[in-house]
């Protein structure tokens, strides 16, 4: 499975960004998908996950109500709409795919290369 994330950039606090992740090499609808992020000097942390069909989602408490994860199984794409961005959201965001697991504690088998999100305060 190949994952290609895009859409990062520089935005002011309070602004919005939409990340995308294009997947190939596997039946997309059979993958649980998620977003993770890693800030400088910090461990990677879970952001959000979405089930095979998109009907179930899970979010980290720090982004709940501000971020929305979605997927388009027809286009093999995953998205993360990020609103009301804060300086502490600054990180490299990566998309990930799991063949068997679900949610923040799943084992993710495939990872994209990451896209930088920088929020200026």
């Amino acid at each position: 499975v190949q994952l290609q994330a895009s859409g990062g950039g520089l935005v002011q606090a309070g602004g919005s960004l939409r990340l995308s992740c294009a997947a190939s090499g596997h039946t997309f609808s059979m993958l649980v998908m998620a977003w993770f992020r890693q800030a400088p000097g910090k461990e990677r942390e879970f952001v959000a996950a979405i089930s095979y069909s998109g009907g179930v989602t899970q979010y980290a408490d720090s982004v709940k109500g501000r971020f929305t994860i979605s997927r388009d199984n027809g286009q093999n794409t995953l998205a993360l709409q990020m609103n009301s961005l804060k300086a502490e959201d600054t990180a490299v965001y990566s998309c990930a795919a799991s063949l068997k697991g679900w949610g923040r504690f799943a084992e993710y088998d495939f990872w994209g290369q990451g896209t930088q999100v920088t929020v200026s305060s």
Side-chain angles (χ1 to χ4, degrees):
V1 177
Q2 291 77 48
L3 302 173
Q4 180 74 36
S6 61
L10 174 64
V11 63
Q12 288 189 333
S16 298
L17 275 177
R18 184 176 179 85
L19 305 183
S20 295
C21 176
S24 61
H26 195 282
T27 303
F28 186 66
S29 60
M30 295 178 68
L31 298 169
V32 167
M33 299 298 297
W35 288 97
F36 288 79
R37 67 186 182 185
Q38 187 165 20
K42 294 188 177 181
E43 292 188 355
R44 184 171 61 200
E45 65 171 345
F46 169 82
V47 175
I50 190 165
S51 62
Y52 304 110
S53 66
V56 181
T57 56
Q58 184 181 78
Y59 295 92
D61 288 344
S62 58
V63 307
K64 203 172 294 184
R66 300 187 297 121
F67 291 11
T68 302
I69 188 172
S70 62
R71 67 189 297 163
D72 184 335
N73 286 346
Q75 297 294 320
N76 293 350
T77 56
L78 174 74
L80 185 69
Q81 178 65 43
M82 305 185 294
N83 299 328
S84 303
L85 282 161
K86 305 175 181 179
E88 51 264 43
D89 294 320
T90 295
V92 174
Y93 285 71
S94 299
C95 52
S98 177
L99 294 170
K100 295 180 292 188
W102 161 247
R104 69 184 69 217
F105 300 117
E107 178 179 346
Y108 284 86
D109 305 283
F110 307 100
W111 293 83
Q113 86 292 355
T115 185
Q116 176 71 46
V117 171
T118 302
V119 183
S120 63
S121 56

mmCIF file of all heavy atoms in Angstrom, residues 37 44-45:
data_model
loop_
_atom_site.group_PDB
_atom_site.id
_atom_site.type_symbol
_atom_site.label_atom_id
_atom_site.label_comp_id
_atom_site.label_asym_id
_atom_site.label_seq_id
_atom_site.Cartn_x
_atom_site.Cartn_y
_atom_site.Cartn_z
ATOM 1 N N ARG A 37 0.192 12.575 14.086
ATOM 2 C CA ARG A 37 1.053 13.752 13.950
ATOM 3 C C ARG A 37 2.228 13.656 14.915
ATOM 4 O O ARG A 37 2.153 12.983 15.940
ATOM 5 C CB ARG A 37 0.262 15.034 14.193
ATOM 6 C CG ARG A 37 -0.233 15.234 15.628
ATOM 7 C CD ARG A 37 -1.118 16.459 15.718
ATOM 8 N NE ARG A 37 -1.569 16.705 17.087
ATOM 9 C CZ ARG A 37 -2.434 17.654 17.422
ATOM 10 N NH1 ARG A 37 -2.963 18.439 16.489
ATOM 11 N NH2 ARG A 37 -2.773 17.817 18.699
ATOM 12 N N ARG A 44 5.138 10.657 18.380
ATOM 13 C CA ARG A 44 4.005 10.654 17.469
ATOM 14 C C ARG A 44 2.718 10.404 18.248
ATOM 15 O O ARG A 44 2.692 9.567 19.153
ATOM 16 C CB ARG A 44 4.195 9.573 16.412
ATOM 17 C CG ARG A 44 3.119 9.530 15.348
ATOM 18 C CD ARG A 44 3.509 8.586 14.237
ATOM 19 N NE ARG A 44 3.687 7.230 14.717
ATOM 20 C CZ ARG A 44 4.369 6.302 14.066
ATOM 21 N NH1 ARG A 44 4.950 6.589 12.905
ATOM 22 N NH2 ARG A 44 4.478 5.077 14.559
ATOM 23 N N GLU A 45 1.649 11.113 17.861
ATOM 24 C CA GLU A 45 0.387 10.936 18.563
ATOM 25 C C GLU A 45 -0.754 10.721 17.579
ATOM 26 O O GLU A 45 -0.744 11.238 16.453
ATOM 27 C CB GLU A 45 0.080 12.136 19.458
ATOM 28 C CG GLU A 45 -0.164 13.441 18.747
ATOM 29 C CD GLU A 45 -0.674 14.521 19.688
ATOM 30 O OE1 GLU A 45 -1.101 14.202 20.819
ATOM 31 O OE2 GLU A 45 -0.656 15.692 19.273
#
